[in-house]
Amino acid sequence: MSEGEMASLYTHPKVKAFISLSHGEGFGLPIFEAAGYGLPVITTEWSGQTDFMFCPNKEGKVKPHFARVDFTLQPVQPEAVWDGVIEKDTMWSFPIATSAKAQMREVYKNHDRFRGQAKRLAAHIEKEFEVTTIYNKFVTLLIGEAKLKWLEKLSNVKTYE
């Protein structure tokens, strides 16, 4: 699907939440996109999405901004092992069905509250995960803060685009 088609799904008035009950995500791009559009998310607190699904609440405390589904951690099944991708000794999340159903009901019942959380999270994502911000963090990790400042001074620019 095109970016526009995906955006139309994330913003369609009949779509009330994004649900992901996967075993694990490298980063969780579909979850990130849905959250970036301000769509409430129902998922586990495990794997890649934990990098971006928390932000300060109205009081400034960092909290989860999604409907959390309970899960158990269990070893990856032998038939799912894929050398170099899904390693033998890793763990997967196994969402608990009753918890997933309860969270879906909760988001449906209290949609305004979850929509408010989702909007705050979307604003946080827009600020903290802006392309230039992420690029600068990446470059800093690779070459160090001092070299980044030196490159900025040398090229007479403040950010990389």
Side-chain angles (χ1 to χ4, degrees):
M1 294 178 77
S2 71
E3 275 187 54
E5 290 168 328
M6 289 304 297
S8 71
L9 287 175
Y10 293 135
T11 59
H12 195 282
K14 289 187 177 183
V15 176
K16 301 299 183 189
F18 183 89
I19 303 167
S20 176
L21 301 175
S22 64
H23 290 301
E25 294 287 338
F27 177 73
L29 187 56
I31 302 169
F32 182 77
E33 289 175 340
Y37 276 100
L39 189 60
V41 173
I42 302 167
T43 191
T44 60
E45 191 176 338
W46 171 258
S47 207
Q49 66 267 23
T50 61
D51 288 343
F52 56 82
M53 294 300 295
F54 292 77
C55 74
N57 63 9
K58 291 176 183 177
E59 294 79 37
K61 293 181 180 178
V62 175
K63 297 277 186 177
H65 278 62
F66 62 100
R68 292 186 288 180
V69 174
D70 294 333
F71 62 95
T72 61
L73 281 181
Q74 298 174 32
V76 169
Q77 300 99 321
E79 61 273 12
V81 171
W82 180 6
D83 288 335
V85 179
I86 301 171
E87 297 295 331
K88 179 180 142 195
D89 296 326
T90 57
M91 303 291 271
W92 263 356
S93 159
F94 287 83
I96 298 170
T98 55
S99 176
K101 291 173 191 177
Q103 290 302 328
M104 286 183 234
R105 278 190 218 94
E106 183 70 17
V107 170
Y108 179 78
K109 239 174 44 182
N110 297 299
H111 193 258
D112 288 343
R113 178 171 61 91
F114 282 96
R115 180 61 108 180
Q117 281 185 352
K119 296 276 185 209
R120 280 191 297 284
L121 181 61
H124 176 76
I125 286 173
E126 186 175 338
K127 178 183 168 207
E128 294 297 319
F129 292 88
E130 190 270 330
V131 172
T132 304
T133 302
I134 294 300
Y135 184 83
N136 283 334
K137 286 179 181 180
F138 180 71
V139 171
T140 300
L141 282 170
L142 286 178
I143 67 172
E145 187 73 32
K147 286 184 181 176
L148 179 61
K149 295 289 182 202
W150 178 80
L151 280 174
E152 287 175 348
K153 192 181 273 187
L154 184 68
S155 62
N156 203 22
V157 293
K158 237 1 192 172
T159 58
Y160 298 92
E161 296 181 19

